[in-house]
């Protein structure tokens, strides 16, 4: 299967090439040229399989230039018992007559980013061998918290690849900072940038776009690449868990084979929910995908009206991983809905130039056949954590709570009784402080992150991940910092 750009460039690439490049030369995102379809027995065959075996079955439909053996090795290296604290990898939790919860945070960094960022480095490594690429790949990441750590864990000690993460000195939580500055691995570098996330992000973009610098790197055998969610190698692994969750529901007799289900997904960059749409397009019986946003509700408005308008105030919320006004992966949905790269390019140029675009009524209707959207503010999110805790003794993280609240809103408004899967994207321990506030636990004095961890453990049947607890005594290995204008020099130093 070949991959081509959402913006119409005629060039087609293999999956391996698309994964190494990350983004198309015309600025578009890579899409498979055809959508593979499942046959009648596909899901039945998944039922008795492990998550890893299910992953191979789904991935081989997209990564057709990888051999079975290559895929098996990639998947086994990615989803290991040493790195995932649950043999099911992505377990579903039953809430009786209420929802099913798909927990995607059992990986090494306790957020759903691990589902893809444990596999992407494996896929990239194999891609380098397959394509005969001899350059050393340098992954640059600007992070607001979760992606940086997940990428570091995924790429640490991977041959022929180095990774450098820039985080904003003033922008990450204490837990997130500790997760990054204690990172082990011989090929990693972590640097604090004096400034906020935008400064770090702008700096990384400048490095990517500096032709002279890139030529210089090439002459020394290096090539820059990206690990953010526009890379197809991050999207494909996410399709797997929609199939896996469905198979689990059949196995536990919550549904019969062939029954429809709905998914509600806490959404930021539109990567997670888009993977669900791919699963549906392939033939997974999904009725609705419900897009849950926080107060930065640009997607809610878009999916309701067809107008995407990022010209609005940016809100800092208690769901920071969803604080985003430009959802990059929406471009892939637009392409799937209208099938016209010229049109997609026009919309994306309007977004760039004016911060706004509008799709036509027919396209909007097509989208609304599958997507429904709503949002929850911080207060609603806290109330939901509280009420689910009271009813089910289950502690959710804030992002998951947004999804739960929106799932309830969907059912209330539409009366749809299709079984609902709420997608859970982070361990509550990663967002201790907000969760404790929501649960009205007042035993912690000051802002000691580890006291908060302990306080949350006191009220949660699920214990805190050891990787978070161990941060208290972990050695700090990365103390570098640099000014906004010094990031390129930091890259040079790292590669020297
Ligand atoms: C990244 C992230 C999201 C948003 O996922 P997208 O694929 O960007 O829509 C939601 N919750 C958590 C905890 C995340 O880390």
């Amino acid at each position: 299967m070949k991959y081509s750009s959402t913006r119409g460039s005629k060039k087609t690439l293999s999956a391996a090439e698309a994964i190494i490049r990350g983004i198309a030369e015309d600025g578009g995102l890579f899409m498979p040229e055809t959508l593979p379809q499942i046959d009648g027995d596909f899901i039945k065959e998944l039922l008795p399989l492990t998550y890893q075996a299910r992953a191979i079955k789904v991935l081989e439909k997209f990564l057709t230039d990888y051999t079975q053996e290559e895929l098996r090795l990639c998947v086994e290296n990615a989803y290991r018992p040493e790195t995932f604290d649950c043999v099911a990898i992505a377990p579903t939790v039953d809430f009786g007559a209420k929802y099913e919860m798909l927990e995607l945070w059992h990986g090494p960094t306790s957020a759903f980013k691990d589902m893809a960022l444990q596999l992407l480095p494996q896929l990239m490594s194999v891609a380098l061998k397959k394509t005969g690429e001899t350059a050393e790949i340098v992954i640059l990441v600007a992070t607001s918290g979760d992606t940086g750590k997940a990428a570091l864990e995924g790429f640490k000690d991977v041959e022929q690849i180095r990774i450098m993460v820039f985080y904003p000195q003033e922008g990450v939580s204490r837990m997130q900072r500790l997760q990054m500055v204690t990172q082990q691995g011989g090929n990693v570098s972590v640097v604090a940038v004096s400034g906020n996330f935008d400064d770090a992000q702008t700096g990384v973009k400048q490095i990517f776009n500096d032709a002279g610098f890139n030529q210089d790197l090439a002459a020394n055998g290096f090539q820059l690449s990206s690990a953010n969610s526009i890379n197809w190698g991050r999207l494909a692994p996410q399709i797997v868990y929609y199939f896996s969750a469905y198979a689990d529901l059949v196995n536990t007799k919550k549904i019969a084979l062939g029954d429809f289900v709905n998914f509600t997904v806490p959404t930021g960059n539109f990567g997670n929910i888009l993977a669900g749409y791919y699963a549906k397009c392939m033939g997974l019986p999904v009725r609705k995908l419900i897009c849950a946003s926080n107060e930065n509700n640009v997607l809610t408005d878009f999916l309701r009206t067809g107008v995407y308008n990022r010209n609005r105030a940016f809100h800092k919320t208690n769901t920071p991983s969803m604080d985003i006004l430009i959802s990059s992966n929406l471009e892939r949905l637009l392409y799937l809905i209208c099938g016209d790269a010229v049109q997609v390019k026009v919309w994306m140029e309007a977004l760039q130039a004016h911060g706004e675009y509008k799709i036509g009524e027919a396209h909007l209707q097509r989208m609304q056949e599958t997507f429904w959207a709503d949002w929850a503010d911080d207060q609603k999110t806290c109330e939901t954590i509280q009420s689910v805790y009271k009813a089910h003794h289950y502690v959710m993280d804030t992002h998951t709570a947004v999804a739960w609240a929106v799932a309830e809103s969907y059912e209330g408004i539409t009366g749809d009784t299709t079984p609902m899967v709420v997608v859970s994207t982070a361990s509550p321990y990663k967002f201790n402080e907000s969760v404790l506030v929501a649960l009205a636990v007042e035993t912690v004095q000051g802002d000691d992150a580890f006291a908060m961890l302990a306080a949350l453990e006191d009220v949660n049947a699920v214990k805190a991940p050891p990787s978070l607890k161990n941060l208290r005594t972990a050695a700090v290995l990365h103390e570098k910092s640099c000014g906004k204008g010094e990031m390129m020099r930091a890259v040079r130093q790292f590669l020297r």
Side-chain angles (χ1 to χ4, degrees), residues 31-268:
M31 299 279 293
E33 288 202 309
T34 52
L35 272 173
Q37 297 296 305
I38 58 171
D39 58 36
D41 285 336
F42 185 81
I43 297 172
K44 205 165 150 194
E45 286 163 13
L46 296 183
L47 298 180
L49 301 183
T50 61
Y51 186 84
Q52 292 85 339
R54 288 170 180 171
I56 295 169
K57 286 262 188 208
V58 174
L59 290 169
E60 70 185 5
K61 294 199 166 283
F62 288 98
L63 310 180
T64 49
D65 51 332
Y66 286 66
T67 65
Q68 275 272 334
E69 183 58 14
E70 285 169 341
L71 282 180
R72 192 182 63 77
L73 277 173
C74 286
V75 162
E76 279 174 8
N77 285 332
Y79 306 116
R80 287 179 294 138
E82 301 85 53
T83 42
F84 280 75
D85 68 9
C86 171
V87 281
I89 305 295
T92 47
V93 179
D94 188 12
F95 285 77
K98 195 79 180 170
Y99 307 138
E100 202 73 22
M101 181 91 87
L102 171 59
E103 293 181 344
L104 298 179
W105 39 262
H106 290 278
T109 76
S110 308
F112 104 97
K113 304 287 192 291
D114 289 327
M115 298 304 299
L117 278 166
Q118 282 294 300
L119 186 54
L120 173 65
Q122 307 296 330
L123 296 174
M124 204 180 271
S125 257
V126 172
L128 290 172
K129 293 205 179 73
K130 297 176 79 65
T131 58
E133 176 66 64
T134 53
E136 190 167 351
I137 302 298
V138 182
I139 307 274
L140 294 186
V141 180
T143 183
S144 59
D146 285 342
T147 299
K149 177 60 181 179
L152 285 165
E153 271 302 311
F155 281 101
K156 76 168 177 217
D157 294 328
V158 175
E159 235 178 273
Q160 209 184 330
I161 299 179
R162 298 201 204 183
I163 174 163
M164 187 164 205
V165 169
F166 292 98
Y167 70 91
Q169 199 127 42
E170 300 126 40
V172 300
S173 77
R174 177 144 167 238
M175 274 292 172
Q176 287 175 322
R177 194 185 76 84
L178 278 174
Q179 275 191 313
M180 289 188 278
V181 297
T182 57
Q183 179 66 45
Q184 300 187 345
N187 63 338
V188 307
S189 176
V190 178
V191 179
V193 179
S194 57
N196 59 27
F197 171 63
D198 281 332
D199 297 322
Q201 168 116 309
T202 306
V204 165
K205 280 191 184 151
Q206 274 166 2
I207 297 172
F208 273 115
N209 293 333
D210 189 313
F213 183 64
N214 279 272
Q215 270 162 20
D216 208 22
L217 288 185
N220 288 292
F222 294 111
Q223 189 192 318
L224 298 180
S225 186
S226 149
N228 61 26
S229 71
I230 52 182
N231 193 318
W232 178 254
R234 262 190 75 176
L235 206 81
Q238 295 176 177
I239 301 170
V240 174
Y241 50 72
Y242 286 91
F243 280 95
S244 182
Y246 188 93
D248 284 353
L249 264 59
V250 174
N251 281 343
T252 57
K253 309 223 158 29
K254 185 103 178 178
I255 57 171
L257 194 62
D259 285 355
F260 277 93
V261 295
N262 293 333
F263 287 91
T264 303
V265 188
T267 297

Side-chain angles (χ1 to χ4, degrees), residues 111-113 146 266-272 321-322 399 425-426 431:
F112 104 97
K113 304 287 192 291
D146 285 342
T267 297
N269 219 5
F270 211 76
N272 194 349
S321 302
M322 292 152 66
H399 304 75
T425 50
F431 299 94

Side-chain angles (χ1 to χ4, degrees), residues 21 29 112 162 185 191 256 258 377 385 401 404 429 434 450 462 475:
R21 298 201 74 93
L29 309 189
F112 104 97
R162 298 201 204 183
V191 179
D377 63 14
I385 290 174
W404 187 291
Y429 290 104
S434 302
F450 295 97
V462 180

